[in-house]
Amino acid sequence: MHRFNDPKEFQEQALADRARGKTTALVPTMGFLHEGHASLIRWAAANADAVYVSVFVNPTQFGPGEDLEAYPRDPGRDAALAESCGATALFMPAPGDIYAPDHCTWVEVPPLARHLCGASRPVHFRGVATVVSILLHLALPHVAVFGQKDWQQLALLRRMARDLHLPCRIEGRPIVREADGLALSSRNVYLGPAERAQAPGLHAGLLHAAALARDGQRDAPTLKAAIAAYYAEHVPAGEVDYIEIVDPENVQPVAALEGPALAAVAVRLGRARLIDNELLRP
Ligand code: PAF
């Protein structure tokens, strides 16, 4: 596995791979890799000749007072995991390698960034869209791979790629969960034992709504209220940021289920802000 810190050297590798006729895949991450990331890298390795993994804790997607400094990091373990899953190149730039001191170019996708996580994290998606756009310009991949846990991010990046006519497919892969249902996340390390015990309730509440939808409940406010009641009982330490039912493609709230819809939640449990989602199929 080749290792790069310098954007130009990484791009030269990507250009050389393309010139040799290789199909290439990029897996952008913020590091502290877990089995969820591993599944993305393995998928990329099974579907492309060259697999690039980027590890970059992107400062511009953190708002004031968020966990940029505390965000867990373990570059040595990340490198070993990426290589064992089939990465052919690892890109680990420093913030100054990506952003010039007078950086002033931003990518925004406002209609998909306003709701859900964007409501409490107003600069987050501007930072995500900008850094992913930069990474795509450096890596020039045929496909970029993201987890479906960050469904809003995935929908927004698909729209960005479409609107900018990027020659890159955005692939979303299923959420990887612990045996008890908790979605894997680098931020799960913030959970204390009592919070960890309640955290699987997040997904259980979503499955409860999915069962109601399957049984014929189509009214979004009723489904949201059912999830909220489930959390009040099973995740009492949780502070709900949002519970929403949205159109899976444009992530706009829906009033009723006309077809598959996405139930999406964010809940603060102690220091951790957890997100999860589930497709509801009426
Ligand atoms: O999902 C993440 O880990 C990040 O938002 C991403 C896509 C790597 C951009 O920094």
Side-chain angles (χ1 to χ4, degrees):
M1 184 177 72
H2 301 283
R3 295 173 189 227
F4 302 95
N5 303 117
D6 181 67
K8 272 276 159 276
E9 287 173 15
F10 175 49
Q11 192 177 55
E12 273 156 23
Q13 173 76 45
L15 286 167
D17 285 339
R18 279 233 174 204
R20 285 188 206 107
K22 292 187 179 182
T23 55
T24 66
L26 171 70
V27 183
T29 81
M30 295 211 300
F32 209 66
L33 303 182
H34 50 64
E35 198 45 42
H37 298 110
S39 74
L40 306 182
I41 302 169
R42 286 194 202 104
W43 183 90
N47 289 278
D49 304 319
V51 175
Y52 314 136
V53 174
S54 62
V55 170
F56 179 60
V57 182
N58 173 36
T60 65
Q61 68 189 75
F62 291 78
E66 291 187 355
D67 59 342
L68 172 60
E69 300 307 326
Y71 196 84
R73 291 161 167 90
D74 192 342
R77 199 173 60 92
D78 289 346
L81 186 82
E83 186 160 27
S84 74
C85 293
T88 57
L90 182 67
F91 179 47
M92 281 190 174
D97 297 325
I98 295 295
Y99 297 110
D102 57 350
H103 176 99
C104 58
T105 304
W106 300 100
V107 179
E108 297 196 64
V109 193
L112 280 84
R114 275 189 210 116
H115 309 293
L116 307 180
C117 291
S120 61
R121 306 187 72 193
V123 299
H124 176 67
F125 288 114
R126 182 181 87 150
V128 169
T130 301
V131 80
V132 171
S133 168
I134 293 168
L135 292 168
L136 292 177
H137 282 91
L138 290 172
L140 309 164
H142 293 96
V143 59
V145 194
F146 300 86
Q148 290 175 350
K149 183 168 78 68
D150 298 293
W151 188 289
Q152 184 177 16
Q153 167 174 284
L154 184 60
L156 179 143
L157 293 174
R158 281 202 171 114
R159 183 69 65 89
M160 175 189 85
R162 187 204 74 179
D163 288 355
L164 297 180
H165 296 265
L166 298 179
C168 169
R169 187 158 66 81
I170 303 292
E171 172 75 19
R173 301 300 303 160
I175 299 176
V176 178
R177 299 182 181 280
E178 302 278 10
D180 61 11
L182 175 63
L184 296 193
S185 162
S186 304
R187 288 188 167 101
N188 289 352
V189 292
Y190 296 154
L191 294 168
E195 293 145 5
R196 176 64 187 80
Q198 291 183 25
L202 239 72
H203 187 228
L206 291 169
L207 291 180
H208 173 56
L212 293 175
R214 245 187 343 262
D215 290 347
Q217 182 55 261
R218 286 167 183 251
D219 182 56
T222 305
L223 290 164
K224 290 197 294 186
I227 299 171
Y230 190 95
Y231 289 171
E233 186 177 346
H234 298 280
V235 194
E239 191 190 312
V240 172
D241 182 354
Y242 63 78
I243 296 172
E244 237 352 310
I245 314 280
V246 299
D247 178 303
E249 226 171 275
N250 62 23
V251 296
Q252 304 306 308
V254 297
L257 272 57
E258 310 286 350
L262 189 82
V265 298
V267 175
R268 285 179 198 281
L269 256 179
R271 278 178 63 219
R273 179 178 177 280
L274 304 179
I275 59 172
D276 204 344
N277 63 71
E278 186 69 33
L279 268 180
L280 310 183
R281 300 172 197 278

